[in-house]
Structures are given as structure tokens and as C-alpha cells.
Amino acid sequence: MQFPPTNGDFTFVSSTEAEELSGTISAPDVKLNLGSDNGKDPYATTFLRQRGYGGCWREELDIDLKDIYYKIRCVLMPMPSLGFNRQVVRDNPDFWGPLAVVLLFSMISIYGQFRVVSWIITIWIFGSLTIFLLARVLGGEVSFGQVLGVIGYSLLPLIVIAPLLLVIGGFEMVSTLIKLFGVFWAAYSAASLLVGDEFKTKKPLLIYPIFLLYIYFLSLYTGV
């Protein structure tokens, strides 16, 4: 004898043994949470998701803010006694950190000479290319990405001294000393990372053009 299934019951009837197999399937409650807890996604996150960047746009663009922050500290505090692993700036190059530093330096330079802003990015790229080619000719084992990252990050000392130059611009002697300090600071940060032991006696041949490059960067800001 068969009974019609009701309320989720089902019935199997064997054609050979005429046995009835019956049971019940209970469907679990399934809840989908497609948004945040309050049901409101930030506009920027929603915008990026709609364009295929997924949940975390920093991962899609390969942006590591902690790594960038650590590299900034390594450049601003280049003394070995401070205990920073400064080689990470060279051995683990990235693009977005140096680009942000160069753009920040460009924005600061707008105050002095607006027309040189486009030149700063150009000099960053082609200056890094020149240092890279020279390093390879001298026997160094560096890539263009490494040189580009180190040169970009090492602009930070010039950004630090820029507000000081605005404050004490009227004192020519003090201003000149601060400019020299900033250039030496930037050049030392870059050269200590790029000029390794493989250059041996050829180190000055690479340190000198790095020093000249940051002098030119400073001249783009000061207009001198």
C-alpha cells in the first residue's frame, strides 16, 4: 500500500520485493551574507568589485602597505646600528612605494616650479636606467627594478628637508647646509644599497653619478 508523500516525505516502492522505503529530508537553512555586517559596503570597495578586482584591491594590485612602511623607515634611517634589514629595499623591489614617493616629491615641487613636475618622473626613470646600465658595466648584479625602487625611495630625505627650506629660506648659509645634508643623506641611502662589495675599487664610479642625480633632483625643486 502506498501513501502520497506529504511535508517532505518520500516513498520508494521496489518492483521486485514490493518493499516500501520511506524517509524524510530536512533542508537546512542556508544564509548568504554578501555584504558587511551592517549591509553597507564602502563605495570604493563596491566600485572595485564591480570591475573585477575582488574583495581586496591591495592584493590585486600587489600593494603591501606594511612592506612600504618598513622600506621608508630603512631609507630614512640608513645607519646600520639601528638594526633595520635595509637590504630588503634592494632585494624585494616594488613599484607602488617608489612611485608614491616620487609623486609626493612632485607635488611638493609644485610650490616652487610647476613646470618641472613632469620632469621629475622622467628623470626618475631615465636616471635609474643610467645608474642601472653603469652598474652592469662595472660588474654589478642588480636589476632595473631594484635600481628604480632604491632611487625612488631615496628621494625621501629631500622630501623631509623641503619644509625646512621653506622656513629658513632667507638664511642663505643655513639653507645651503641643509641642502647639502639632504643630498648626502639621499645619496648615502641609495649608494649603500646599490654599491655592493662586487664593485671593489670601482665604487666611486657609481657613487658619484648617484650623488649628481640627487643634486639634480634638488635643483628641480629649488629652481637653482
Side-chain angles (χ1 to χ4, degrees), residues 62-112:
D62 195 21
I63 300 176
D64 190 343
L65 297 180
K66 292 183 179 179
D67 182 61
I68 293 174
Y69 174 68
Y70 185 80
K71 291 177 180 178
I72 289 175
R73 294 174 65 188
C74 290
V75 171
L76 291 178
M77 294 176 282
M79 289 72 70
S81 59
L82 296 177
F84 290 107
N85 181 20
R86 300 186 65 248
Q87 289 300 317
V88 72
V89 182
R90 169 179 170 172
D91 297 338
N92 186 25
D94 67 287
F95 175 73
W96 299 107
L99 179 62
V101 174
V102 173
L103 291 178
L104 179 60
F105 184 73
S106 301
M107 296 300 294
I108 293 176
S109 299
I110 290 178
Y111 178 83

Side-chain angles (χ1 to χ4, degrees), residues 31-61:
K31 296 181 180 180
L32 297 179
N33 185 9
L34 300 179
S36 57
D37 295 337
N38 56 6
K40 296 181 180 179
D41 261 350
Y43 176 77
T45 304
T46 305
F47 177 83
L48 291 171
R49 284 180 178 176
Q50 291 175 351
R51 281 150 181 79
Y53 285 102
C56 184
W57 57 271
R58 289 197 300 269
E59 293 181 0
E60 297 289 342
L61 298 177

Side-chain angles (χ1 to χ4, degrees), residues 120-195:
I120 293 176
I121 298 178
T122 303
I123 295 301
W124 171 47
I125 295 175
F126 286 96
S128 299
L129 179 61
T130 303
I131 299 298
F132 164 70
L133 294 175
L134 183 58
R136 298 294 289 184
V137 169
L138 295 176
E141 298 180 358
V142 293
S143 65
F144 177 65
Q146 290 175 328
V147 177
L148 193 69
V150 170
I151 295 298
Y153 273 117
S154 296
L155 273 173
L156 284 167
L158 299 186
I159 296 177
V160 171
I161 69 169
L164 298 177
L165 294 177
L166 294 178
V167 175
I168 59 174
F171 302 93
E172 184 175 353
M173 181 63 68
V174 179
S175 178
T176 302
L177 291 176
I178 292 179
K179 291 177 183 177
L180 290 175
F181 173 74
V183 171
F184 274 108
W185 186 5
Y188 175 78
S189 294
S192 60
L193 291 169
L194 294 176
V195 183

